[in-house]
Amino acid sequence: MNPFFILLLVWAAFWGRLGEALLLLAIVLWHETCHVLAAAVYKLPVTDIELLPFGGVARLEAFLQLNPKAEWIVAAAGPLGNLFLVGAAYGLAPYLAIDAYWFRFFVQANAGMALFNLLPCLPLDGGRVLRSLLVRTQGFAQATRAAARLGQACSVLLLGWGVYNVLYKRYNFILVLFAGVMLFAAARQELTNASYVFMRYLTARRQQLRLARVCAVKHLAATSESSLGEVLRSFQPPSYHLIWVVDLDGKVAGFLGELEVISALFEHGLSCKLGTLTMQKLS
């Protein structure tokens, strides 16, 4: 649990709102559970979950950016889970005796969490969906930087909105300022860690090869016009992959190892052609 969430619980208890804070904690747990279930569909192991007041961060062992489709589905599962609870609340309301205050709080908390997390900026779920789209044409590092900087911009707007409400005493501004500070800090961390996340994956893959010493190799043939995305979708772990690059006449133009392909993904994005990489390698 993030320390800011603990501070939120203490603050809520001081103001007599511990019940609302605990319900919010349960909603955050549900939100993260939806992420975990979506990751399980793709057999992606979750190493840990950090709970934040506006959602959470589920960290995966796999390098999810190798499969952009899986990244956006796992990211979208959390907000969709909250929207499901909103629909379920309205569907069951006629059949259950629910206090109007708690019903309204439950619906607003779920809807607010879903909408806030759909903002297209890291580390929010919407930012991960945006990155999964950007990484198709850009490198992972560049896509991460773009989404994280958008997150910092959104946090500045939230802080400005909070200060505005402090000056004009319009309504309870604490949560707005709180969300702004949290979002800025989390976006900055995503920006800082972008290169380290990818290097950690490469290091783990190299370590796996070093420990195995000998492993099965899978050969793939691809034309020089094939993109990195097309090649990566053909990878079948735990085999190590060698890609033979052939020109349009069927002549071998060169070959690439798996780690070379993944490194190129980091620099050039999924749309980069194999012919470009082989030319760079020969030069």
Side-chain angles (χ1 to χ4, degrees):
M1 184 179 292
N2 187 279
F4 281 105
F5 209 145
I6 298 174
L7 288 176
L8 177 64
L9 292 175
V10 173
W11 176 82
F14 178 79
W15 289 101
R17 293 289 185 268
L18 184 59
E20 289 88 337
L22 292 176
L23 180 56
L24 181 63
L25 173 61
I27 292 172
V28 170
L29 285 172
W30 165 257
H31 179 99
E32 291 307 309
T33 298
C34 292
H35 286 310
V36 172
L37 292 176
V41 171
Y42 288 93
K43 298 180 180 179
L44 301 173
V46 178
T47 55
D48 65 271
I49 299 172
E50 182 180 9
L51 300 181
L52 302 165
F54 52 77
V57 178
R59 297 184 178 87
L60 305 178
E61 189 68 41
F63 188 64
L64 199 55
Q65 289 70 33
L66 290 179
N67 189 342
K69 179 183 177 182
E71 181 176 30
W72 79 257
I73 289 177
V74 172
L80 289 176
N82 291 121
L83 294 177
F84 170 79
L85 289 184
V86 172
Y90 277 107
L92 295 174
Y95 308 101
L96 299 174
I98 305 175
D99 181 81
Y101 170 80
W102 288 105
F103 176 81
R104 186 170 59 253
F105 180 86
F106 181 81
V107 168
Q108 290 178 349
N110 274 288
M113 187 170 297
L115 294 176
F116 183 72
N117 274 278
L118 285 174
L119 290 174
C121 50
L122 284 174
L124 302 179
D125 298 324
R128 301 189 186 282
V129 173
L130 175 63
R131 181 172 64 185
S132 72
L133 298 175
L134 293 178
V135 81
R136 298 174 185 273
T137 56
Q138 304 176 14
F140 168 70
Q142 187 176 352
T144 299
R145 283 194 292 269
R149 284 169 180 155
L150 192 54
Q152 290 182 319
C154 286
S155 67
V156 171
L157 292 176
L158 279 174
L159 288 170
W161 187 21
V163 171
Y164 171 80
N165 287 284
V166 169
L167 296 176
Y168 289 91
K169 301 178 181 178
R170 293 176 60 90
Y171 60 85
N172 192 341
F173 56 86
I174 297 295
L175 287 180
V176 177
L177 290 174
F178 202 72
V181 172
M182 284 292 302
L183 182 57
F184 186 88
R188 185 177 180 181
Q189 185 176 5
E190 288 280 348
L191 197 59
T192 303
N193 291 344
S195 298
Y196 298 108
V197 170
F198 189 83
M199 293 308 298
R200 182 169 64 92
Y201 174 83
L202 287 181
T203 301
R205 190 67 172 127
R206 290 191 182 103
Q207 183 69 8
Q208 181 183 10
L209 292 172
R210 188 178 296 114
L211 292 176
R213 302 183 69 174
V214 177
C215 64
V217 170
K218 184 175 180 62
H219 290 266
L220 299 174
T223 67
S224 56
E225 292 299 310
S226 301
S227 67
L228 288 178
E230 293 171 323
V231 173
L232 288 167
R233 282 192 289 271
S234 300
F235 279 8
Q236 296 178 8
S239 297
Y240 185 81
H241 299 82
L242 291 176
I243 300 91
W244 293 88
V245 184
V246 298
D247 60 23
L248 297 180
D249 295 324
K251 297 179 181 179
V252 176
F255 72 93
L256 298 167
E258 178 178 326
L259 294 179
E260 289 179 289
V261 171
I262 296 172
S263 295
L265 166 66
F266 180 67
E267 294 294 335
H268 306 293
L270 290 171
S271 61
C272 179
K273 303 298 185 182
L274 295 186
T276 303
L277 297 180
T278 52
M279 288 296 292
Q280 291 177 350
K281 187 175 180 180
L282 290 174
S283 61

